Amino acid sequence: MKTFSQAAFLAAAGRAADLPPQGPPEVAFAGRSNVGKSSAINALLDRKRLAYTSKRPGRTQTINFYQLGEAARLVDLPGYGYARVPQPLRAQWRHPLTPLDLQLIEWLGDVPLLVLLSKADKLTRAQQAATLTKVGSLIQAEVRLFSSATRQGVDECRGLLAGWLQAGRGNKRPPAKGI
Ligand code: GDP
């Protein structure tokens, strides 16, 4: 989809009154703080620093909108679930699908869902495969390994999103994969 390379910043909203008027379909990026949402947006748009990334979790506190021509918008949401906790506890968070993630997925209802298993470069091939299988067995959604650092999964996710946007998929989740 050509529009992925035509991205431009549209708006940053810190309160409801600042939200831009409704426009084309939106692809929203939701997830825990620091999982790589802004980096994923930059990778998908082939831009180095359009979306603001940070080494310090919990920095993005506005809802940031990026316009893809007339076709779509990408929306970077503030992350959830960040708390200052000691390192050993934090290590467990690498576990995919925390209770907050599952709550979000349930809350989304039948909004089409693409789950990016981000920072896949931090896992070995075997760990990647195991994580993909595990997450795929737990939720009904498209699930892809993703790394902004190595660009793993970038083209595939672009293709998937472009297909959904072009088909004007409405509000239906993609069909379950029968796992
Ligand atoms: P956000 O809070 O979810 O938007 O996360 P950011 O995109 O700001 O990224 C948080 C941190 O993770 C930054 O230090 C990024 O450089 C790092 N990061 C993001 N994506 C990747 C990735 O694919 N691989 C690795 N190793 N680090 C990443």
Side-chain angles (χ1 to χ4, degrees):
M1 193 187 212
K2 211 174 79 196
T3 42
F4 277 100
S5 53
Q6 297 177 336
F9 178 79
L10 177 67
R15 44 190 193 129
D18 297 333
L19 291 169
Q22 256 193 351
E26 293 173 349
V27 180
F29 288 70
R32 277 171 284 155
S33 290
N34 218 39
V35 290
K37 294 179 295 299
S38 306
S39 302
I41 290 179
N42 285 330
L44 288 166
L45 299 182
D46 232 341
R47 299 282 287 267
K48 285 227 154 46
R49 234 169 267 120
L50 184 62
Y52 178 75
T53 62
S54 171
K55 284 203 192 311
R56 284 174 48 203
R59 288 286 297 274
T60 310
Q61 308 210 320
T62 51
I63 301 177
N64 299 326
F65 292 79
Y66 303 92
Q67 184 86 40
L68 305 189
E70 296 297 306
R73 288 173 181 172
L74 300 195
V75 184
D76 197 1
L77 296 170
Y80 53 81
Y82 177 69
R84 285 184 184 278
V85 289
Q87 192 62 37
L89 256 185
R90 256 202 315 229
Q92 298 174 11
W93 292 2
R94 189 142 302 148
H95 196 279
L97 293 182
T98 63
L100 276 178
D101 295 330
L102 291 168
Q103 202 178 324
L104 172 71
I105 290 169
E106 194 186 323
W107 178 77
L108 284 171
D110 58 4
V111 171
L113 185 61
L114 169 57
V115 174
L116 303 186
L117 302 176
S118 60
K119 307 191 187 180
D121 55 285
K122 292 190 179 236
L123 300 182
T124 64
R125 287 265 157 201
Q127 288 170 329
Q128 289 187 2
T131 307
L132 189 59
T133 306
K134 183 171 177 199
V135 173
S137 71
L138 287 174
I139 53 170
Q140 265 191 17
E142 296 286 349
V143 185
R144 295 291 185 280
L145 291 160
F146 193 91
S147 167
S148 307
T150 63
R151 304 191 65 78
Q152 177 180 1
V154 169
D155 286 342
E156 205 187 341
C157 290
R158 265 194 205 141
L160 217 139
L161 293 176
W164 286 359
L165 289 166
Q166 273 161 2
R169 283 193 49 92
N171 288 324
K172 285 275 181 295
R173 275 254 179 107
K177 290 184 294 177
I179 297 171

